[in-house]
Amino acid sequence: MASPAAVLPVTAQEIVAAYRHLYRHSLRAVQFSKPSRFVIRDQLRAAFRDPKASAATFDRERVRRTIWFLKAATQEAGLESRILKNLVRVRWQREREQRYRTWKVLLQKEKQMTAKSPKLPHPINGTEYTHYDNTIAMLNDTMGLCLR
């Protein structure tokens, strides 16, 4: 049987409170370090502004478990803090790759790829983060978290 809290509709105040709790505990977990805090801020904004995510998909239990995870990452330099540090580092690297993809860089890469093997596309192109994304999705499913 579902708990009574899971049946109640989600209010806008509850969503804002979840955002603030997640943001506050995330900042504490990364100790307010400069590149990390901006990555976390951008990730949370994107997650809460996502048109696919609505009040219907909001899960109180996942938010609560994610806050527990962030508290554990704050308290001790253990597995949780290493996972969070790697999540932030990979997200920062992805954003950096996207930011510096000018048309000149893309044209140079395309020329290099066609010069090496003009007939076949490179097998890794576009799939660099597939395994990583699947691993994070499985971590979220097994632990009931909402990490990105």
Side-chain angles (χ1 to χ4, degrees):
M1 180 170 184
S3 66
V7 179
L8 295 175
V10 180
T11 64
Q13 289 177 337
E14 194 172 2
I15 293 174
V16 170
Y19 174 85
R20 288 178 179 168
H21 284 293
L22 287 168
Y23 190 38
R24 184 179 312 123
H25 288 292
S26 298
L27 288 176
R28 288 180 187 159
V30 297
Q31 298 177 354
F32 296 89
S33 64
K34 238 188 198 158
S36 300
R37 66 179 168 195
F38 300 125
V39 170
I40 287 173
R41 179 200 61 197
D42 295 341
Q43 276 297 104
L44 275 175
R45 283 181 182 173
F48 278 84
R49 292 178 181 170
D50 188 11
K52 291 182 277 183
S54 63
T57 61
F58 183 80
D59 190 359
R60 294 177 181 98
E61 184 63 26
R62 283 187 178 265
V63 170
R64 187 171 61 91
R65 288 183 184 194
T66 305
I67 291 172
W68 284 352
F69 181 86
L70 294 170
K71 283 182 182 179
T74 303
Q75 293 171 354
E76 191 174 321
L79 183 64
E80 292 89 355
S81 62
R82 283 184 279 157
I83 290 172
L84 184 65
K85 182 173 80 169
N86 285 327
L87 283 171
V88 170
R89 184 186 53 80
V90 169
R91 177 54 60 181
W92 178 79
Q93 185 65 36
R94 278 178 140 174
E95 288 175 3
R96 187 172 174 188
E97 287 173 6
Q98 290 297 321
R99 194 176 316 131
Y100 293 112
R101 284 193 181 196
T102 62
W103 65 272
K104 288 182 181 180
V105 172
L106 292 174
L107 188 61
Q108 283 178 340
K109 285 185 180 180
E110 186 178 323
K111 283 181 182 179
Q112 289 172 355
M113 299 305 269
T114 55
K116 291 180 183 175
S117 62
K119 296 176 185 168
L120 299 172
H122 198 273
I124 298 179
N125 248 5
T127 62
E128 297 93 357
Y129 294 107
T130 305
H131 182 72
Y132 172 80
D133 292 334
N134 291 338
T135 304
I136 298 303
M138 286 188 286
L139 177 72
N140 286 336
D141 289 342
T142 57
M143 293 183 68
L145 300 174
C146 50
L147 299 174
R148 278 191 168 187

